[in-house]
Amino acid sequence: MTADAPETRFSISNNPSYLYQAYFSYILEYKNGTQADGFFDLELLKKSLNILVRKHYKPVAGWFQARNNSIDVVYYSDKFNDPPVTTQTLDMDYDTLSRHVHDCNVELLVPAAPSAAITFEDPDPNIPMIMLKVTYLESNEAVVLGVTYHHSLMDGTAFWMFMANWSALCKHLHEHGEIAEFDIPHPPTFEFPDISHFYNPSKTFEHPEYILVNPNQFSKRLQPGPEKIVEKILEISVEQQQALRQQARDIGVSFTEILCAVLWKGVNSLRLELNPEIGSESSLYTCTVNSRTRAGVSNNVCASPVTIASREQTVAEIAALEVCDIAQLAHKAIGKCTGEYLSSSYRYLHQQFKQEQDDRCNGRIGKKVMCVFANSASVKCVIATSRTFPIYSTDFGFGTPEYVRPPYWPYDGSMRIWPTPLYDARSSNAPLHVYVCQPEHIDLSLSPLLAQFIKRNID
């Protein structure tokens, strides 16, 4: 590189997101209620996106590079890998398009992505960090944004901060035209905080949230299996949320913990009733935990320290416990995610990552570390919560989204807590959704705990 085109490297090898070498996609639906001309002008979208990336998110305009057992994002001052943008215009009415969004039709609405695997065989793989697909209607009734990002660079918090910054910049350009300076609402940073000071060699932890598998067969472990996995949406009303919050306060746990307990017990008891032989087998609960407070990290840090809380019991044990008792188990699991546990979790991942690279270099098969979806527990309650993200604040200058569709993960036990358009995590002023994935033969309406929340199916 020349002096006027310096190379900058950003290491992601110390960020456990490398475990998720996959693209995550979200679909944002915007309704053009006034039939305004220039609704989501394409050139404005592309211009604001490129300005944001080139000025504030340079790693997004870079390239993955894997070498010397390390994974970096490399970018240059005179060369940019601008996010690819594709478009389409469909001849269909708004209601039909909206059904495609709700049914998570990624083939229609999300940009086609290459393999997300960061390989060491290619010295400079060109894997886009973020891709965009804009869908217009000939009737001009609505626009849909399909956004895909590589999880190894950003976690969910970082992505939605990116989206909030992009939409704010686009709105400003739409309302005011060219600008010399613009203060984006969230300071962008990709630095992963140093948590080495939490390491305590005198303490050891088990990490059932991860599993080691044969790398030649790990993709099969992530397949749904012979049974079709279907998704059901549970809707927690305002009144139901208030009742759960009161119940949580009475026993000293959080709202998320009591909700997790309801979900865990509901699915667990139903699975046991349908198959009594699994009573002595494993029932595994996990929940993604953002450990900013424990690590002393600012809320403005995008690459936040996230770990996975876990608790493993037998199926019969969970079925026999009351919801309040299970909430206490969830509370203890999340409480276990101290700085020392966080450090232990990352050391485990880093050591396994190094072992995988050593096996690769020496021609050994070895083992590959995988997330909880590959676990063989008979019952899994794998929860991710997104209810505090600024999802419905993404106003590009044309109003906020009618609906934002989370990723569809067709894995047994996957559950995502997701806000509705008017939801405010601080006040629970609107319904809250939970997307639950189970084998097709599991009828959640047969669970007394879950039946009250069921709204509709998505096949």
Side-chain angles (χ1 to χ4, degrees):
M1 300 299 296
T2 61
D4 59 345
E7 174 185 289
T8 304
R9 288 185 172 273
F10 168 76
S11 174
I12 66 169
S13 293
N14 68 333
N15 187 335
S17 286
Y18 73 74
L19 181 64
Y20 304 98
Q21 290 185 23
Y23 283 109
F24 279 31
S25 299
Y26 295 91
I27 307 174
L28 296 82
E29 172 191 323
Y30 293 85
K31 187 174 183 180
N32 187 3
T34 62
Q35 293 288 295
D37 293 332
F39 191 68
F40 274 86
D41 177 75
L42 179 60
E43 292 308 312
L44 182 61
L45 282 176
K46 293 168 65 174
K47 180 178 181 178
S48 57
L49 178 59
N50 290 341
I51 290 175
L52 179 72
V53 167
R54 292 183 176 212
K55 185 172 183 179
H56 300 286
Y57 284 86
K58 290 184 178 180
V60 174
W63 290 262
F64 284 113
Q65 192 171 93
R67 65 181 186 181
N68 300 326
N69 294 336
S70 175
I71 299 175
D72 296 332
V73 171
V74 57
Y75 55 94
Y76 313 96
S77 63
D78 66 342
K79 183 180 179 183
F80 293 90
N81 186 21
D82 288 326
V85 179
T86 57
T87 66
Q88 63 179 346
T89 302
L90 302 178
D91 182 15
M92 65 174 60
D93 59 41
Y94 171 72
D95 290 340
T96 301
L97 177 66
S98 186
R99 282 197 297 272
H100 283 297
V101 175
H102 282 74
D103 292 346
C104 201
N105 189 340
V106 294
E107 289 77 13
L108 179 65
L109 301 172
V110 171
S115 170
I118 304 172
T119 67
F120 285 82
E121 286 70 28
D122 187 339
D124 191 15
N126 186 356
I127 304 176
M129 309 293 179
I130 290 180
M131 295 171 287
L132 175 67
K133 187 172 186 177
V134 188
T135 298
Y136 295 93
L137 291 182
E138 289 187 358
S139 64
N140 197 29
E141 291 180 274
V143 167
V144 168
L145 302 183
V147 187
T148 295
Y149 75 98
H150 199 288
H151 201 286
S152 286
L153 184 67
M154 293 192 289
D155 59 13
T157 304
F159 172 75
W160 284 109
M161 287 183 176
F162 174 90
M163 291 295 293
N165 286 335
W166 176 26
S167 61
L169 176 57
C170 185
K171 182 177 182 179
H172 194 92
L173 288 175
H174 173 68
E175 295 176 348
H176 304 286
E178 295 293 336
I179 53 172
E181 294 291 336
F182 174 74
D183 294 328
I184 55 178
H186 301 282
T189 175
F190 294 90
E191 295 301 324
F192 189 77
D194 181 11
I195 59 172
S196 59
H197 59 286
F198 287 120
Y199 176 57
N200 185 346
S202 66
K203 289 190 177 182
T204 58
F205 300 90
E206 298 293 328
H207 293 287
E209 63 270 29
Y210 305 114
I211 187 171
L212 299 179
V213 301
N214 185 319
N216 294 331
Q217 299 180 354
F218 79 90
S219 60
K220 296 180 181 179
R221 295 294 298 273
L222 283 178
Q223 298 303 314
E227 293 185 285
K228 181 181 179 181
I229 301 296
V230 299
E231 185 183 65
K232 293 181 175 65
I233 298 178
L234 308 183
E235 182 169 294
I236 320 298
S237 69
V238 173
E239 294 75 17
Q240 289 166 336
Q241 291 177 64
Q242 292 171 345
L244 287 171
R245 287 186 181 279
Q246 184 58 56
Q247 191 175 9
R249 285 192 292 267
D250 290 343
I251 61 174
V253 302
S254 70
F255 170 74
T256 298
E257 289 161 348
I258 196 73
L259 180 56
C260 288
V262 170
L263 297 170
W264 190 10
K265 182 175 176 62
V267 169
N268 183 93
S269 298
L270 184 57
R271 300 286 284 263
L272 178 61
E273 183 177 348
L274 294 174
N275 186 7
E277 295 180 357
I278 66 173
S280 61
E281 297 177 8
S282 173
S283 182
L284 179 65
Y285 156 79
T286 69
C287 184
T288 302
V289 177
N290 190 321
S291 303
R292 282 190 178 96
T293 301
R294 294 179 176 88
V297 176
S298 167
N299 285 332
N300 290 328
V301 173
C302 287
S304 55
V306 174
T307 190
I308 300 175
S310 63
R311 182 75 185 215
E312 196 167 13
Q313 305 284 145
T314 69
V315 176
E317 287 172 338
I318 293 302
L321 291 173
E322 298 294 331
V323 168
C324 290
D325 297 323
I326 298 173
Q328 293 291 354
L329 296 180
H331 179 72
K332 291 178 181 179
I334 293 176
K336 185 178 66 175
C337 293
T338 61
E340 291 176 342
Y341 183 85
L342 189 68
S343 176
S344 172
S345 178
Y346 290 178
R347 286 177 65 86
Y348 172 83
L349 291 175
H350 295 158
Q351 289 168 0
Q352 184 57 37
F353 175 73
K354 291 179 181 179
Q355 183 62 54
E356 290 173 21
Q357 305 316 312
D358 185 66
D359 290 339
R360 177 189 59 81
C361 292
N362 291 282
R364 297 189 298 265
I365 294 179
K367 295 290 185 179
K368 180 177 180 64
V369 64
M370 293 296 296
C371 57
V372 71
F373 288 118
N375 194 290
S376 58
S378 293
V379 177
K380 286 182 287 190
C381 183
V382 184
I383 294 180
T385 178
S386 305
R387 66 187 185 89
T388 61
F389 294 166
I391 294 169
Y392 284 98
S393 299
T394 48
D395 180 356
F396 288 82
F398 308 95
T400 55
E402 288 287 307
Y403 175 63
V404 179
R405 189 30 163 111
Y408 171 39
W409 282 75
Y411 305 125
D412 187 3
S414 172
M415 304 183 192
R416 181 178 291 270
I417 302 173
W418 192 254
T420 54
L422 298 178
Y423 181 80
D424 185 331
R426 295 167 296 183
S427 58
S428 297
N429 60 328
L432 185 66
H433 284 166
V434 184
Y435 293 72
V436 179
C437 289
Q438 292 286 301
E440 188 174 27
H441 76 277
I442 302 297
D443 184 356
L444 297 185
S445 67
L446 298 178
S447 165
L449 276 175
L450 303 180
Q452 59 185 318
F453 306 129
I454 292 178
K455 291 300 178 183
R456 66 185 181 92
N457 293 342
I458 293 181
D459 296 327

